[in-house]
Amino acid sequence: MNFRAFLALIFFFLLASPGFAGPQANGAILIYSGTTGYRHDSIPAGVKAVSAMAARRGLAVIASEDPTVFSATNLKRFKAIVMLSCTTDPKKPDSEWLVGDRRDALQQFVRNGGGIVAIHAAADSHYSWPWYGRMIGGHFARHPTGTPKGRVTIVAPSDPAVQGLPRTADRTDEWYYFEDYDPVSKVLVTLDPTSIGEKDINPNPISWTRQINEGRVFYTAMGHTTESYSEPYFLKHVANGLDWVLRRR
């Protein structure tokens, strides 16, 4: 059984369980990692790592790659959605899986106060739906070749999503640049482009937070590599972001 089929099977049995809508599910999060574009090898490690974070916080976890989970009824069960490198193909609008009532359900979830933790290639998705780009705060445009070591700097040191992290750090990752980046976002972490051999000297936004109506959105472009999901710096950052969207910080 492949990984996608395994996640779909888990989701089916949890939905069918009489206890799924009970007290435990009131503290549940959804990890969504379905892809119709580039598929990241790091997704299984990401699901495992975020599931462990949630468990330590007493949260139930549903991991799914079935886009039908995005319905108004289903999303009522969740306090937050983790969008884990859930790509679409930018050249194929019909690859987008948030369509019709699924769009309405996600918009309602966010506007009513649901939290979104968007990781890495969640920004490489749904180019034909402007609201999605506004939710994330921008769309992936390009990245330099490979996964070079780059220097990141915290630029909002008092923000709860970066608490406990060093002011600067050298990390190996795939470094995104964005189009339609929304400067209204609160930038948390930037990349020094010269540290990865780029000519640009302007700090490149890497992580930020947004408020969409009553909903909170945390996005980090880090998390391309499998190794990221065992790296204390990155895991602490994502865990802080999860706590923030859940209003625990």
Side-chain angles (χ1 to χ4, degrees), residues 150-168:
R151 172 153 292 191
V152 292
T153 300
I154 291 171
V155 294
S158 64
D159 193 275
V162 292
Q163 290 299 296
L165 297 178
R167 187 65 182 268
T168 62

Side-chain angles (χ1 to χ4, degrees), residues 81-84 116-120 122-123 132 136 217-221:
I81 302 171
V82 179
M83 311 286 283
L84 178 60
I116 299 290
V117 174
I119 299 175
H120 193 55
Y132 182 89
I136 297 294
V217 178
F218 165 86
Y219 173 75
T220 180

Side-chain angles (χ1 to χ4, degrees), residues 14 16 107 113 135 151 195 223:
L14 284 169
Q107 286 178 309
M135 179 187 75
R151 172 153 292 191
S195 68

Side-chain angles (χ1 to χ4, degrees), residues 1 18 23 34 54-55 64 69 79 88-89 102 117 125 137 149 178 180 190 192 203 217 229 235:
M1 180 182 296
S64 179
V69 70
K79 288 189 172 182
T88 62
D89 187 334
R102 297 175 194 170
V117 174
S125 190
K149 182 175 287 188
F178 300 91
D180 302 327
T190 61
D192 175 4
V217 178
Y229 296 94
L235 293 177

Side-chain angles (χ1 to χ4, degrees), residues 15 23 51 132 134 139 148 161 185 198:
L15 278 180
S51 296
Y132 182 89
R134 289 195 296 272
H139 270 121
S185 301
E198 291 280 292

Side-chain angles (χ1 to χ4, degrees), residues 93-110:
D94 61 355
S95 71
E96 298 186 1
W97 30 264
L98 286 171
V99 293
D101 291 344
R102 297 175 194 170
R103 291 186 175 187
D104 297 338
L106 181 60
Q107 286 178 309
Q108 180 180 349
F109 175 82
V110 173

